[in-house]
Each structure stands twice: as C-alpha cells, then as structure tokens.
Amino acid sequence: MNRHSCPQAAHPRRVTVIGAGYVGLTASVCFAALGHRVTCVEHNPHQLRRLLAGEVPIHEPGVAELLADGVGGGRVGFTGDAGEAVPGSAVAVLCVGTPARPDGHPDLRQIASAAAEVAAAATGDLVIVVKSTVPPGSCEAIEVIAAESAPAGVRVTVVSNPEFLRESQAVDDFFNPDRVVIGSEDGPAGDLVASLYPATWPLLRCDRRSSELIKYASNTFLALKISFANEISGLCEQAGVGAGSVLAGVGADRRIGSSFLAHGPGFGGSCLGKDLTGLIATADALGSPAPVARAAAEVNRWARGRVIDRLEAIAGPVTGQRIALLGLAFKPGTDDVRDSPAVSIAEGLLARGAHVSAFDPIASEPKLGGIECRDAYAAARGAAAVIFATGWPEFGLLDLARLSGAMSGHLLFDLVGVVDAPAAAAVGLELETLGRGTPTSFHPVVVPPLEWCLDVAIA
Ligand SMILES: NC(=O)c1ccc[n+]([C@@H]2O[C@H](COP(=O)([O-])OP(=O)(O)OC[C@H]3O[C@@H](n4cnc5c(N)ncnc54)[C@H](O)[C@@H]3O)[C@@H](O)[C@H]2O)c1
C-alpha cells in the first residue's frame, strides 16, 4: 500500500497525532497515505530519536513502507513538542495509552494531559479526536479539561473516533474498516472528522457516549468469544472429543462465525483484558450488572492457569525441571508482550521453581530475567518439555528431529496448534494439546444418567 494505491480523503488537512505507539504511528502513516499532512508528537525521547532517524520502533507490517513514503513526500513529520505541531492543524488526534488501574478502571492521566497540551497550543478553533479507548462519558470530561487549558477565544470540541485495528494487521485494518465510528453531538466537528476518511468508507455516526461504548462492548464481545471457546475446550477434554473440530463446526454457522472462536492459553495483549475490566468497572459504577463480562474474565484466568496444571499432571512437578517456552508475544506477528499469556506462563513456571528458557522470533520481555535464547533449538537444550505458547507460523516449520535431539525429555505441549502431530510422532516426541480428551474420559452411561434414558424410553 502506498499513496498511489490508496483511496484519498475528500479534503487533505493538517493533522496532529499525539502518541506514536501501535495506534498513533499507524494512524499517522495511514492518514498521510490518505493525503493529509501529519505531525506526530511523541514525548518518549528514545522513541522520538528513532522516529526522527526514520526507524520504526514497533513491529507492525507495512508501517515502515508507509513511513518512508510519507516522510519522503513531506507528509509525515515528528516532534516532541505539541506546541510545534498543533498551530495550523484542523484536528489533534489523541492516541495515548489508557492502561488499566488496579481497580479495573482505565488510567486516563495520559489522555487528560495530552488534551490539556494540545488545547494550550491551539491558535484557532480545534477539534480533538479521541482514538484512545475510553469509558463512556470521557469525551465530555476531556472537553472540560481542554476548555480550561485553551487560550481565550479558542473553541475546542472533542469528538470520539475509537480505533479498532488489530496489532500485526493494523495497516490492513485501517484501510479496510468494518466501520469508522464517529461520535459527536456537534455536527460540524463530526463532519470535519468524517472528512479525514475517504467518502466511500463505512462511517457510523452517533453520539459520543455511544461511540465510546461501541468500542468497549466490541472488545468485550471478542474476549467472551475466546473465553467461550476455552470453556467448550475444557468440556471437550472431559467428553473425550477434539475441541478443534467442535469449534470449527460451531464457527461454520454464519450467525456465530469462526473469528475469535479459538481455544488456547486465553486472550492477552494491551486491549481485550483492559477493556473487559474497564467495561465491568463502568457497569459497577453505573449500577448495571455485568455477569457475562465477569465470566469471560474468570474463564480467561482459568485458561491461563490450566496450562501449568496440565503440564504437571502429565510430566510431574515442574520444580527443578527445565522447560522451554516458544513464543513470548501475545499473538504471532507482533512484538507486543503486554498481558501476554506466554509471559504469564513463564512467570508461573518460574514461580514454581522451574528452570525456564524461552525464544520468540521478535518479542522480548526483559523482566523475565535473561531466560531468552537465540533460537528455538537453543531454548530446547536440556528441556524436559517444550511449550508452544505463541502461534508463530515458523514454529510449525521447526526441524523436530533436531529439537528432540536437543531436549532431555520428549514432551511437546502445543497450546496454539502449530505442531504437526504425525511429524512429532515420527521422531518419537509425545504431543500434548489443549481441548483433546481421551474417549475414556467419561463413562457414557453416567451422563445423562441411565435411569433418565430409561424413563424417557418408557414414556
Ligand atoms: N494496541 C492496539 O492494538 C489498540 C487497538 C485499538 C485501540 N487501542 C487503544 O489506543 C490507545 C493507544 O494504544 P497503543 O497500543 O498505541 O499505546 P502505546 O502505549 O503503544 O502508545 C502510546 C504512546 O503515546 C505516547 N504518549 C503518551 N502521552 C503523550 C503525550 N502527552 N505526548 C506525546 N506522546 C505521548 C507514549 O509515549 C506512547 O508511545 C489505547 O487507549 C488503546 O487501548 C489500542
């Protein structure tokens, strides 16, 4: 994708983007490809230095190409100072972090200070666009903060425009949105934000609270689809059937769909868990029950915890054993380890006294204390078991004979469905997966009770 193969916005504008993380950097280069002139403000000096040198500090396919194109065409620039970027901009797009607080509510300090900064730097009327994920009512509060910081005579209006991109396919998602949600009670401000996007894109206009809640509810629904898949996976283990084929059969129903209906070590990343707890905290604050969302969170805790329990049930206590972990990123295609199930499994193993070695093609987590190895074979050296925790496609191409030769044991525990079972068996490796019980897991006359069947037959 470049500027020439990309649809163009109806009105090229000067745009300030605040924050050059996964969302802000992607939005910056994509807005530039749509024809806008973008200045992205990043206050982390290390990240800013790399961006000014033309480097991309995150792993996100397609961003480097769009960045080179945008910088080369003079349509993307970076600064650490909102005061340099905002004057002359029609809009300031906030893409700063909204991490979870211990009580489940999001920490909105970054967004409050970003709103105050851009408002203070405005030299004319400004529309602040909130792309960060925030609970309902936030844009109204942000507007109050911005109005207090704006110079006299400058009118600041806040519009909600939540971001739905997925890391590892962020550029593709930006250019092929299912919907672009624009929440505004101010018609002209909403129109201005709509004009940032090509007129042919599916725009969904609503009020700000609805827009904010669309984002929260969407991520909660994705989280509960994964948790539902994991609940069914546990049931499959007890019933002695394969969760993969059961979930494929369920997902084939177009009313349900197979996307996100995947079992494994649970959901992770910077968004699903945070937005789920954010929705629950919001519901609690408003006195509205949220039992379904709570259950999704509870099942996710169980899905993570069952991994080590199962490993110990097969291989005995992990204390003192060397266990190799393949994958640290929360999903393949990204270097993001925030709330990664793989990292929490590593922490759980270390807490139980295992010796852990790990490898990920691009992700790294220094807080695990130097357990990372240069490749999968080095990680497997001397390991009693190898856990496949992130579904990197290259893990499916490993030389299993070489992996087996490096290990001291012969157990592969594949949580993400990348290992070829016949290939593992061919080199004498035992393959364990989730959601696959033995047909003898339960006695068929026990469920349903035989008497119940007989009663029905007699009736
Ligand atoms: N990551 C995703 O997949 C994703 C998808 C959709 C929505 N979101 C939401 O978008 C928001 C941003 O997410 P992210 O993953 O890009 O976060 P991130 O932490 O990767 O990036 C935020 C960036 O903003 C910078 N920043 C913070 N305050 C600043 C300021 N005042 N001036 C300049 N820079 C500032 C930080 O240094 C950081 O680089 C969050 O609310 C998140 O929930 C994220």
Side-chain angles (χ1 to χ4, degrees):
M1 179 71 70
N2 61 33
R3 184 159 149 67
H4 305 291
S5 60
C6 178
Q8 295 296 287
H11 299 283
R13 300 193 185 276
R14 281 192 57 181
V15 174
T16 292
V17 172
I18 306 292
Y22 292 88
V23 170
L25 186 55
T26 304
S28 294
V29 298
C30 292
F31 275 136
L34 293 177
H36 303 296
R37 198 164 287 271
V38 181
T39 306
C40 179
V41 184
E42 172 54 58
H43 72 179
N44 177 318
H46 175 64
Q47 233 163 300
L48 178 62
R49 243 191 325 275
R50 294 189 62 186
L51 289 162
L52 289 170
E55 291 173 31
V56 177
I58 54 169
H59 178 86
E60 194 53 59
V63 166
E65 294 78 0
L66 286 176
L67 179 63
D69 200 43
V71 170
R75 279 170 285 104
V76 182
F78 296 95
T79 174
D81 179 6
E84 276 179 22
V86 174
S89 285
V91 296
V93 185
L94 307 188
C95 303
V96 299
T98 51
R101 297 191 320 202
D103 65 359
H105 286 285
D107 180 342
L108 299 177
R109 283 177 297 180
Q110 287 184 42
I111 204 138
S113 70
E117 279 166 38
V118 296
T123 51
D125 290 354
L126 180 71
V127 172
I128 295 179
V129 181
V130 176
K131 266 207 177 296
S132 299
T133 304
V134 292
S138 301
C139 283
E140 293 154 65
I142 292 165
E143 197 164 79
V144 172
I145 292 167
E148 281 169 3
S149 307
V154 167
R155 179 165 181 260
V156 182
T157 313
V158 175
V159 173
S160 167
N161 176 213
E163 183 52 66
F164 294 92
L165 59 75
R166 290 162 293 178
E167 286 174 27
S168 81
Q169 48 206 81
V171 169
D172 198 45
D173 284 347
F174 188 96
F175 287 119
N176 299 286
D178 291 329
R179 73 298 205 199
V180 175
V181 178
I182 297 171
S184 177
E185 288 81 25
D186 180 310
D191 292 345
L192 177 62
V193 177
S195 76
L196 297 175
Y197 299 96
T200 51
W201 285 13
L203 302 184
L204 196 162
R205 302 278 297 262
C206 56
D207 60 273
R208 290 181 288 191
R209 289 187 191 183
S210 301
S211 169
E212 292 162 330
L213 203 42
I214 286 170
K215 174 65 190 179
Y216 254 17
S218 299
N219 269 3
T220 297
F221 191 75
L222 295 174
L224 75 90
K225 257 187 121 175
I226 294 173
S227 279
F228 181 75
N230 278 324
E231 185 168 308
I232 296 301
S233 170
L235 179 56
C236 286
E237 287 177 6
Q238 297 309 318
V241 295
S245 55
V246 169
L247 291 169
V250 174
D253 186 324
R254 275 174 296 170
R255 294 169 301 174
I256 299 169
S258 57
S259 177
F260 278 74
L261 200 65
H263 69 137
F267 57 77
S270 66
C271 291
L272 290 196
K274 160 180 85 73
D275 297 346
L276 179 64
T277 56
L279 180 133
I280 294 168
T282 301
D284 286 349
L286 297 177
S288 179
V292 174
R294 267 184 230 287
E298 185 191 326
V299 172
N300 202 50
R301 282 189 289 277
W302 166 81
R304 288 186 181 196
R306 78 167 161 162
V307 172
I308 300 177
D309 291 345
R310 171 81 86 78
L311 180 64
E312 292 200 316
I314 304 161
V318 294
T319 311
Q321 296 207 57
R322 177 156 295 280
I323 309 292
L325 194 69
L326 298 189
L328 290 172
F330 83 91
K331 66 173 182 178
T334 182
D335 57 349
D336 198 345
V337 295
R338 288 178 284 185
D339 196 27
S340 169
V343 172
S344 77
I345 291 165
E347 288 170 337
L349 289 167
L350 290 166
R352 291 195 199 186
H355 304 293
V356 183
S357 41
F359 168 71
D360 188 286
I362 57 169
S364 179
E365 179 47 286
K367 79 174 184 202
L368 290 174
I371 65 169
E372 292 169 43
C373 302
R374 69 173 182 282
D375 61 33
Y377 307 106
R381 188 167 304 135
V386 174
I387 303 177
F388 291 79
T390 309
W392 287 102
E394 46 265 63
F395 290 160
L397 304 173
L398 287 171
D399 177 343
L400 293 183
R402 188 174 163 204
L403 198 75
S404 174
M407 296 170 64
S408 64
H410 53 273
L411 177 65
L412 302 185
F413 192 7
D414 182 7
L415 312 179
V416 286
V418 289
V419 178
D420 180 49
V427 297
L429 287 167
E430 180 191 341
L431 178 63
E432 191 63 31
T433 59
L434 294 171
R436 192 193 58 174
T438 59
T440 53
S441 299
F442 76 84
H443 197 276
V445 296
V446 175
V447 182
L450 190 56
E451 311 83 69
W452 183 86
C453 297
L454 289 173
D455 284 351
V456 171
I458 291 162

